[in-house]
Amino acid sequence: MASNWDNGMQNERFVTVRTDHRNPDFRLLVAELDQELSLRDGPDHGFYHQFNGIEGLEQVVVAYEGSVSVACGAMKPFGTDRLEIKRMFVLPPYRGQGAAQKVLRALEVWALESGVSGCILETGKRQPEAIAFYRKSGYVQMENYGPYRGIENSLCFEKGFQEAQ
């Protein structure tokens, strides 16, 4: 179910592809993400890992530079009118070069096409780069939702589509 997709957003370096959880490049990037998070989260990793399974993720974006997969992100339904951003990751050598922005924007456009009102996400306090990125991308902190309620290390964010356009 992979298809090339750029929605007219020109980035001469990175190309995004819409796919799903079965994509082998997505699976490899997620393995790298899990390894990095296990180091950052330490003993808390097991708690967070239980919410980050990829089976069943039908809205996945992978960014490529040429034939090399360099970044990914996914979404899943949350409630009846929002999607939750999951599994955002950029390989370390490609960070700060626009790959994350490209993936996030591709996910937001896909979400908008799905007819939902916005996106939510969770990230950890031990990920200051992610926190800064989401804030820069127009996400605002919200009360922790679902399994992250009362979790000290979690920060939750939201963005409505009136802000995403």
Side-chain angles (χ1 to χ4, degrees):
M1 154 165 168
S3 65
N4 284 333
W5 177 79
D6 225 271
N7 199 34
M9 296 180 299
Q10 295 303 313
N11 180 322
E12 57 284 340
R13 186 163 183 197
F14 303 111
V15 174
T16 57
V17 173
R18 286 183 177 185
T19 187
D20 63 26
H21 67 97
R22 293 178 289 262
N23 181 289
D25 293 328
F26 175 64
R27 290 180 168 278
L28 288 171
L29 288 166
V30 167
E32 293 273 343
L33 168 61
D34 287 340
Q35 184 175 4
E36 182 174 313
L37 290 178
S38 71
L39 296 173
R40 286 190 187 220
D41 293 338
D44 294 335
H45 183 66
F47 170 78
Y48 290 104
H49 190 68
Q50 68 181 318
F51 306 117
N52 289 321
I54 63 171
E55 296 305 318
L57 291 176
E58 297 299 325
Q59 292 177 295
V60 170
V61 170
V62 177
Y64 292 87
E65 180 183 54
S67 62
V68 178
S69 58
V70 301
C72 66
M75 300 181 295
K76 69 178 190 176
F78 186 86
T80 58
D81 70 336
R82 294 189 289 184
L83 291 171
E84 182 182 20
I85 304 287
K86 304 293 288 183
R87 314 304 359 227
M88 284 288 297
F89 180 70
V90 179
L91 289 173
Y94 296 92
R95 291 179 184 167
Q97 300 173 41
Q101 182 180 30
K102 183 88 173 191
V103 169
L104 185 60
R105 182 63 181 142
L107 288 169
E108 290 173 345
V109 169
W110 199 355
L112 184 61
E113 291 170 4
S114 299
V116 297
S117 66
C119 292
I120 62 171
L121 61 90
E122 181 275 342
T123 192
K125 289 183 180 177
R126 296 181 191 107
Q127 300 173 55
E129 308 91 343
I131 295 165
F133 170 70
Y134 293 127
R135 285 186 171 142
K136 180 181 174 184
S137 300
Y139 285 77
V140 294
Q141 192 169 341
M142 63 183 282
E143 184 177 323
N144 285 6
Y145 60 84
Y148 309 109
R149 283 191 184 109
I151 304 302
E152 178 67 26
N153 184 48
S154 288
L155 293 175
C156 294
F157 292 86
E158 65 184 339
K159 183 176 185 179
F161 286 124
Q162 65 278 7
E163 301 148 20
Q165 296 178 9

